[in-house]
Amino acid sequence: MTAPRDRLAGRLQAVGASPTLQVMMEAKALRARGVDVIDFGPGEPDFNTPENIKKAGADAIAADFSHYTETSGIPELRQAIAEHYRGRYGADWGTDEIITGCGGKNVLFLIAMALFEPGDRVAIFAPYWVSFPEQVRLSGAEPVIIPTREADGFTPRARDLEPHAESLRAVILNSPSNPSGATIPPDEVGRLAEFSRATGILLISDETYDAFHYADGPYASFAAHEKSLHDRLLLVNSFSKTYAMTGWRIGYALGPKSIVGAMNKIQSHDATHTAAMAQVAAVEAMRGTQGTVLAMRDEYRRRRDELIPALNRIRGIRCLQPAGAFYAFPNVKGAMQALRCPSSVEFARRLMSEIAVATVPGEAFGVPGYLRLSYALSIERIRAGLDRLRGLLGEAGG
Ligand code: PLP
């Protein structure tokens, strides 16, 4: 018997459809019926790209900067990225150790394609960003999910990797975290770096939300360990969240020349590079005023400071104070019980159908019993959403 012509590649068999899709489809259908949905779902800034960055992109188009560029990105951009990490962390990545691509997601995918293959095991802490395990699976490797603890602030710990050290090829870290907002404290960053040094396990650090860090003291980047981890550290970042540039599709990685070279080889046969004008805009983003970034950070912090205490005053909801990113990740097990919901997917569905509040259930991030609420929406909408949640669930202790 011959295989059907529409047979899909085997590598897709292990890759799941997003559990968020159902909720998103319902939100869309409700909106189409004229319902005012309060959307805590989106993983993108509600701000527009700052004017100076837009102008740089528009000027690049007007100047016909619209031809192919270097696969790894224009030298000015890689230079600006190198200077940023040298200035802030004293890191020594050269321009041939930097690759830009079509968003942080694409760059992470290039890393997976360059490094992982069947038989490899890659550690990912849960709750995790949805694409980490799926990209590992698409490479043919196996994601090893390591739970974190709510009581420990969902902090990834080096000691939880130790039992797996023998068999791991790499670990993917994400601080501040999507979805929990957890930020790895400097001492644990040191321990994770030491773990990588001692074991040789590759450390992939996704620092997409580094600009939105609200705790006291500076953000703890793995870039500070660049010199001692040089042959085993890959640092990923993106312009999407920091500069509200999601649609421009531009992200980057810094790492050993051999790995960045392999990523370039793959990109040369795939996207070729990200858009020329987006690269010029990204140079302005890095070299121009950072005041707009600080203003966005302050506004996210204001929203967080309003949202979290209010969530904790709702019956059946308990929420940690996230130290970074723009997500709240409350434990909703009590509220699920009150509404007799067997899963947080079902709970999110009820919030959608009964009070038109869109959230993403914890199942999407590997931890049922929680919801992700983005606070990339106006404070008025946040308040309106909270009113609806209070109406449905009641006040704590009330
Ligand atoms: N990493 C994390 C943790 C994210 O949340 C996202 C986007 O949601 C990305 C990477 C990728 O963003 P982009 O591809 O827009 O740069």
Side-chain angles (χ1 to χ4, degrees), residues 45-55 88 211-214 239-245 281-301 303 326:
D46 57 321
F47 302 105
N48 292 320
T49 306
E51 289 302 326
N52 62 315
I53 302 174
K54 287 199 292 197
K55 181 170 181 319
R88 190 170 285 191
F212 306 127
H213 169 253
Y214 316 112
F239 290 81
S240 286
K241 320 286 169 158
T242 309
Y243 298 102
M245 291 178 73
V283 173
E284 171 60 23
M286 278 217 143
R287 294 202 163 137
T289 175
Q290 301 300 301
T292 46
V293 180
L294 296 178
M296 287 190 271
R297 186 195 61 188
D298 290 348
E299 177 58 20
Y300 287 136
R301 191 208 307 254
R303 296 171 185 179
F326 43 69

Side-chain angles (χ1 to χ4, degrees), residues 43 102-106 108 129 132 174 178 206 208-209 238-241 246 249-251 327:
C102 307
K105 184 184 276 183
N106 166 241
L108 283 158
W129 179 49
F132 293 144
N174 173 217
N178 174 7
D206 175 348
T208 290
Y209 294 93
S238 169
F239 290 81
S240 286
K241 320 286 169 158
T246 44
R249 305 312 302 134
I250 181 153
Y327 307 105

Side-chain angles (χ1 to χ4, degrees), residues 24 27 47 111 116 122 221 224 239 262 311 329:
M24 278 169 53
F47 302 105
I111 291 175
F116 307 148
V122 180
S221 169
F239 290 81
L311 281 174
F329 198 61

Side-chain angles (χ1 to χ4, degrees), residues 28 49 93 97 99 114 119 141 145-146 209 213 220 228 232 264 288 311-313 317 319:
K28 207 170 162 194
T49 306
W93 281 294
E97 295 171 305
I99 177 171
I145 306 301
I146 317 270
Y209 294 93
H213 169 253
S228 65
R232 59 197 58 164
N264 263 315
L311 281 174
N312 278 311
R313 287 194 295 271
I317 295 186
C319 191

Side-chain angles (χ1 to χ4, degrees), residues 18-369:
S18 166
T20 60
L21 220 62
Q22 182 78 21
V23 178
M24 278 169 53
M25 301 287 275
E26 280 174 40
K28 207 170 162 194
L30 276 183
R31 245 189 238 111
R33 295 206 324 254
V35 178
D36 173 29
V37 178
I38 296 182
D39 199 351
F40 289 101
E44 71 166 327
D46 57 321
F47 302 105
N48 292 320
T49 306
E51 289 302 326
N52 62 315
I53 302 174
K54 287 199 292 197
K55 181 170 181 319
D59 288 352
I61 295 172
D64 295 313
F65 196 75
S66 49
H67 299 269
Y68 288 133
T69 73
E70 291 80 351
T71 302
S72 54
I74 55 175
E76 300 90 301
L77 177 55
R78 284 177 287 124
Q79 192 63 46
I81 295 168
E83 280 164 18
H84 172 80
Y85 282 91
R86 188 166 307 125
R88 190 170 285 191
Y89 303 109
D92 240 353
W93 281 294
T95 50
D96 55 357
E97 295 171 305
I98 297 172
I99 177 171
T100 65
C102 307
K105 184 184 276 183
N106 166 241
V107 169
L108 283 158
F109 192 67
L110 293 175
I111 291 175
M113 288 298 117
L115 292 175
F116 307 148
E117 59 191 353
D120 287 338
R121 304 178 85 233
V122 180
I124 297 166
F125 286 94
Y128 49 70
W129 179 49
V130 290
S131 292
F132 293 144
E134 304 303 30
Q135 290 191 345
V136 169
R137 285 191 187 101
L138 280 167
S139 76
E142 182 194 344
V144 178
I145 306 301
I146 317 270
T148 59
R149 298 160 204 86
E150 184 185 351
D152 187 32
F154 297 114
T155 309
R157 298 274 176 201
R159 64 168 182 265
D160 294 327
L161 293 172
E162 273 155 21
H164 306 273
E166 287 285 291
S167 66
L168 289 179
R169 168 104 169 100
V171 53
I172 304 178
L173 298 163
N174 173 217
S175 167
S177 152
N178 174 7
S180 72
T183 301
I184 307 177
D187 55 348
E188 196 60 41
V189 167
R191 282 192 279 272
L192 286 157
E194 179 50 35
F195 173 81
S196 170
R197 261 191 301 273
T199 58
I201 290 168
L202 290 164
L203 203 153
I204 299 161
S205 180
D206 175 348
E207 304 189 357
T208 290
Y209 294 93
D210 65 347
F212 306 127
H213 169 253
Y214 316 112
D216 293 336
Y219 167 72
S221 169
F222 281 91
H225 296 269
E226 178 268 335
K227 290 200 174 64
S228 65
L229 281 180
H230 197 74
D231 63 339
R232 59 197 58 164
L233 173 65
L234 281 144
L235 193 144
V236 174
N237 211 325
S238 169
F239 290 81
S240 286
K241 320 286 169 158
T242 309
Y243 298 102
M245 291 178 73
T246 44
W248 297 75
R249 305 312 302 134
I250 181 153
Y252 56 93
L254 308 98
K257 205 166 153 179
S258 57
I259 300 177
V260 166
M263 292 164 68
N264 263 315
K265 200 189 280 184
I266 300 167
Q267 178 147 274
S268 76
H269 295 295
D270 177 27
T272 307
H273 56 74
T274 194
M277 49 294 280
Q279 295 182 45
V280 175
V283 173
E284 171 60 23
M286 278 217 143
R287 294 202 163 137
T289 175
Q290 301 300 301
T292 46
V293 180
L294 296 178
M296 287 190 271
R297 186 195 61 188
D298 290 348
E299 177 58 20
Y300 287 136
R301 191 208 307 254
R302 191 167 81 93
R303 296 171 185 179
R304 177 196 71 152
D305 290 348
E306 172 123 358
L307 175 64
I308 309 303
L311 281 174
N312 278 311
R313 287 194 295 271
I314 295 174
R315 193 183 298 149
I317 295 186
R318 179 176 80 204
C319 191
L320 293 174
Q321 175 87 314
F326 43 69
Y327 307 105
F329 198 61
N331 178 325
V332 293
K333 290 172 191 168
M336 281 163 57
Q337 228 169 21
L339 295 193
R340 296 184 204 291
C341 290
S343 68
S344 30
V345 168
E346 180 57 25
F347 183 65
R349 221 175 258 151
R350 290 275 298 272
L351 296 186
M352 180 77 79
S353 62
E354 291 179 25
I355 55 172
V357 164
T359 59
V360 184
E363 282 84 345
F365 314 102
V367 284

